[in-house]
Amino acid sequence: MSIRTRFAPSPTGNVHIGNIRAAIYNWLFSRHEGGEFLLRIEDTDLERSTPAAVRTVLESLAWLGLDYDGEPLYQSTQREKHLEVAEQLLAKGAAYKEDKGGTGRGECVIFKMPGRDISFRDAVKGELSKKADDLKDFVIVRSDGSPVFHLGNVVDDITMGITHVIRGDDHVENTFKHLAMYEAIGAPPPVFAHLPMIVNAQGKPYSKRDGAAYVGEFREKGFLPEALFNSLALLGWSPGEDREVMTREEMVAAFTLDRVRSAPSQLDMTKLLWMNGEHLKRRGLDEIAAGCRAAMERKGQWRDDIAPAYFAAVVACMGERVKLFGDLGDQAGFFFDEDFPYDEKSVRKRLLKEGALDILREEQAVLEALEPFTTESTDAALHALAETTGRGMGELVHPLRVAVSGTGVGPGLFDMLAVMGKERVMRRIRRTLDAYGG
RNA sequence: GACCCCAUCGUCUAGAGGUCAGGACACCAGGUUUUCAUCCUGGUAACACGGGUUCGAUUCCCGUUGGGGUCGCCA
C-alpha cells in the first residue's frame, strides 16, 4: 500500500518554523516513499481561522515548494462526519454523555479509555507506553455540540487514509488517546512519528523573540526558501554522511525517518545565514538581482531611476558579500545615491589623514585623463601613479574608496570604479573635495 | 507535583562495545588581497555525573542532575 502523509495546520495567521519543519518532514517522507502528501486545514476555530490566515499557510507552503496532492480538506466541512462517529462510539459504549464537572453547561460526549496500558512504537522515539491509570477519559463533543480536536483529528486522518502521522513532540500524550479511538472506531492506526521541538538558547520553544520564528519573517528578511528548507530539514535529521548543503532532490533521496533524532535542537541563525549564502551562490546573478530588488522595494530603498544594467553590475560587483537579499540595499546603497553619507570614522582615518587629500587630487587628475575607464585601466593608472610618486597602493586606494563610496568597506576599488563609470566617479571626487578639501 | 521524553565541541551533527571521537557553522592564528567579504592552511573545543555489565564503555542497564513536553468542553 502506498503511504500517505499530511500536514494539518490550524491557521492562526502565522506559520511557526517548528510546524513547517513537520510539514517538510511529511513532504520529504512521502516524496521519498513515492506516496502522497495531503493538506488539511484545521479551521474549526472560526475566530482565528480567517481567509487571510489560511492564505498565509498556503503561501508558506508554496514558497518552500511543499506541493500537496489533491485539494486541501477543510476540517470545518467534516463536522457531520465527526458527530456521526461520536454517535457510533456512544452506541458501542465506547463513549458516554455527562455534564462533566457538574458545570450545568449541559452534557458533553466523553470518550472512555479502555482501562488498560497502551503502548506503541514511535518511528523516531521508539517504544512508548502509558499506564492505564495515567490515561483519563476525555471530551470529544462539547456540550454545545461541537467536535473537539481529538475527534476531528482522528476521524479526518481515517477518511483521508493517512498512513503516517509525523508531528510535533507536543502530541505524544495525545497519541495514546488517539490510539484508543482508532481501536474503538475499528480503524487501523497509522504509524506515528514525533519530532523534537526547535528550541532557543534557553531550551524553550523557539519564538519570535529569538530572531524570527515564522516562515514569513524569514522570507521578509530575504532568506532563500531552499536555504530555510535545507536548514530546517537538517535540524533533527541528517543524511548520515558529512553532507549539509543539499538540493531538495538530494534530501528526498536520502530522507528516512529512522535517521531523525529524538533530541530537541536549536536553530542557529549564524549557520542559517551561511547556508543562505551557499544557496545564493548556486543561483544565477539575474535571480539574485531580482531578489535584491524585491527586498529593496520592501524596505523603501528602491528608486525608479536605477538603471537595470547598472543595478545588475552592482549586484555582480558585490558578489558574495551579499548573504541575504536585504544586504544589497543595506551595504551598497551608496551606488545608487549621489548624496550618499560619509562614514565619519572612515573619513577621519582615510581622508583627513596627512596628505590624503593631496593624493586624492592627484588621482582626480589621473582619472580625469583616463580613457577607457575600466577595472584594468583604473588599476593600471593608479599603480603607475604609485610608482611615480613612490607611494604604497594603500595610500592611494583608501582615500579614493571613501571619496566615491563614503565608506571604508566594500567591493574591490577598481571594480567599483568601473561599475560606477567615469562621470559618476569624477562627480563624487569633486563632491568629496568640496566637502573636505577646505 | 504526576506521567512521559531527552542528554557527543558554544551551535547543528556523525559515530561504534576497542576510533587520534569525524564533519559543518562560529571562533582564533597565518597566507592571499587596496578595505570588507571570499578563498587557502592550521588551531582551540565535546561524549553531563555516579554506579554497574564487560577483558574493555562515550556506546548497554540503573540511578542522579539538568532540560523539555503533557496534564482544557484549545488545537
Side-chain angles (χ1 to χ4, degrees), chain A residues 133-412:
Chain A
D133 287 348
D134 297 319
L135 265 9
K136 293 186 297 192
D137 296 355
F138 57 96
V139 175
I140 53 175
V141 179
R142 299 186 188 86
S143 48
D144 67 2
S146 62
V148 167
F149 163 75
H150 302 294
L151 215 213
N153 196 266
V154 168
V155 172
D156 291 346
D157 278 341
I158 292 171
T159 76
M160 291 168 83
I162 301 305
T163 61
H164 293 69
V165 171
I166 304 169
R167 54 175 24 166
D169 227 352
D170 48 335
H171 282 293
V172 287
E173 306 291 328
N174 291 334
T175 305
F176 297 100
K177 298 177 178 177
H178 296 178
L179 247 10
M181 291 180 75
Y182 276 97
E183 184 172 315
I185 292 170
V191 170
F192 287 95
H194 289 95
L195 275 19
M197 320 216 85
I198 296 177
V199 301
N200 62 20
Q202 287 71 45
K204 305 286 185 192
Y206 205 89
S207 76
K208 52 248 132 221
R209 293 177 58 92
D210 301 306
Y214 303 118
V215 176
E217 293 180 284
F218 288 94
R219 186 180 185 175
E220 275 163 32
K221 284 174 183 286
F223 282 99
L224 248 24
E226 61 265 38
L228 216 215
F229 187 111
N230 196 164
S231 293
L232 253 21
L234 251 24
L235 264 198
W237 170 77
S238 80
E241 307 151 37
D242 292 329
R243 273 202 302 166
E244 297 203 294
V245 182
M246 288 185 276
T247 64
R248 207 177 295 268
E249 292 67 34
E250 290 171 329
M251 287 185 267
V252 166
F255 191 86
T256 55
L257 283 176
D258 61 342
R259 294 205 56 87
V260 175
R261 275 171 64 86
S262 54
S265 47
Q266 275 179 239
L267 177 65
D268 183 353
M269 272 296 188
T270 311
K271 189 159 184 177
L272 212 206
L273 221 45
W274 164 79
M275 181 68 84
N276 200 66
E278 290 300 307
H279 282 279
L280 215 42
K281 283 183 200 169
R282 291 161 174 73
R283 302 262 281 223
L285 240 32
D286 290 352
E287 291 175 297
I288 296 176
C292 289
R293 174 175 176 162
M296 286 176 73
E297 285 173 340
R298 267 202 304 278
K299 294 202 255 185
Q301 296 169 327
W302 181 259
R303 17 200 310 170
D304 292 325
D305 63 355
I306 297 175
Y310 182 55
F311 188 68
V314 170
V315 171
C317 183
M318 286 294 285
E320 292 181 11
R321 267 160 274 254
V322 174
K323 290 251 189 293
L324 229 43
F325 285 147
D327 288 348
L328 192 83
D330 292 342
Q331 296 170 15
F334 60 79
F335 272 107
F336 313 113
D337 179 12
E338 290 313 307
D339 296 316
F340 61 86
Y342 289 91
D343 172 60
E344 212 179 301
K345 267 179 67 182
S346 301
V347 167
R348 228 179 306 126
K349 186 173 173 193
R350 305 299 194 189
L351 227 41
L352 302 182
K353 218 172 71 175
E354 183 75 50
L357 287 166
D358 293 330
I359 292 173
L360 185 57
R361 287 193 188 89
E362 290 170 19
E363 292 172 316
Q364 181 182 32
V366 168
L367 295 175
E368 186 69 70
L370 190 62
E371 204 65 55
F373 199 84
T374 64
T375 302
E376 294 73 25
S377 72
T378 51
D379 190 334
L382 288 205
H383 270 91
L385 181 61
E387 189 97 6
T388 57
T389 57
R391 293 199 177 91
M393 277 306 283
E395 292 179 84
L396 305 199
V397 165
H398 297 306
L400 185 52
R401 169 187 295 287
V402 177
V404 300
S405 72
T407 171
V409 302

